[in-house]
Amino acid sequence: MTDGINVGKLLINYKTLEQFKRFKEYGNQELSMLEDLQNNIIENDSESPFYGIHVGHNLIARMSLYRVRAKYDAYFEPPQDYLELWKLEVLPDYRGRHYGKALVDFAKRFQLPIKTNPRINSHGFWEKMGFQKAKYEMERDLGENPLIWMPEGVKEKDA
């Protein structure tokens, strides 16, 4: 269903920064994504954590994907590297066309467990994508309600 939709790594440059400003969510998450991008522009040797989908020259959907090393894994059994998926967003005119699903499917292709902290009102989307609520652990989750996806052979760590 997401055939023909190309997800690509976004370049870390000022053009990408300008394109990010078109996205609606200008809360703390959005500002931190802009800061991430600006910091990466300055460092310039950093591997881009940003992925997106373009229609023509327009960035219409994006996410950031960070790889967390196994030694910091507090979610999965056996402990292993996992992906943290942040700030998935599709521009309003392009919603309902499977672009969000294409981004999630792209992340799943790494065959690593994935953790995300969904926005309010997005739980239905994540459940359709096969994510489940992580068992809440106060010290680890600090008021967040993470959702996780696990490839075959991986299970959730017991609390």
Side-chain angles (χ1 to χ4, degrees):
M1 204 179 282
T2 56
D3 292 347
I5 298 175
N6 262 342
V7 176
K9 191 174 278 266
L10 298 178
L11 297 174
I12 297 176
N13 60 28
Y14 287 99
K15 182 177 181 220
T16 303
L17 184 63
E18 283 306 307
Q19 289 184 326
F20 276 10
K21 291 178 181 173
R22 293 184 55 224
F23 285 81
K24 192 175 177 192
E25 294 287 329
Y26 255 72
N28 292 337
Q29 278 195 341
E30 179 62 28
L31 293 174
S32 71
M33 194 166 191
L34 286 171
E35 283 171 22
D36 281 357
L37 183 61
Q38 286 169 324
N39 290 341
N40 282 321
I41 288 171
I42 292 162
E43 292 169 18
N44 217 14
D45 61 347
S46 170
E47 183 74 7
S48 169
F50 306 112
Y51 294 86
I53 298 170
H54 287 86
V55 170
H57 295 292
N58 295 320
L59 178 65
I60 58 98
R62 52 90 197 264
M63 69 177 169
S64 58
L65 210 51
Y66 291 92
R67 188 175 185 131
V68 179
R69 298 287 165 214
K71 69 179 182 178
Y72 302 110
D73 179 5
Y75 291 93
F76 305 104
E77 200 59 59
Q80 60 198 281
D81 287 8
Y82 68 94
L83 297 175
E84 191 146 5
L85 193 157
W86 286 89
K87 303 152 192 140
L88 184 141
E89 188 177 4
V90 177
L91 289 176
D93 291 349
Y94 295 91
R95 291 183 187 153
R97 299 188 201 174
H98 306 290
Y99 292 115
K101 179 183 184 330
L103 288 170
V104 173
D105 287 348
F106 177 85
K108 287 178 177 179
R109 280 190 231 136
F110 288 94
Q111 283 301 302
L112 292 171
I114 303 170
K115 173 193 166 263
T116 190
N117 290 308
R119 287 199 196 108
I120 297 166
N121 300 326
S122 69
H123 276 79
F125 167 79
W126 292 106
E127 285 170 9
K128 276 193 246 174
M129 297 298 110
F131 283 69
Q132 64 188 49
K133 281 185 177 174
K135 295 179 194 112
Y136 186 77
E137 219 176 279
M138 192 182 304
E139 281 185 34
R140 176 192 72 188
D141 299 328
L142 302 172
E144 295 177 336
N145 291 298
L147 296 180
I148 55 175
W149 175 83
M150 296 164 285
E152 206 164 311
V154 178
K155 61 183 186 177
E156 186 175 5
K157 185 179 273 185
D158 286 328

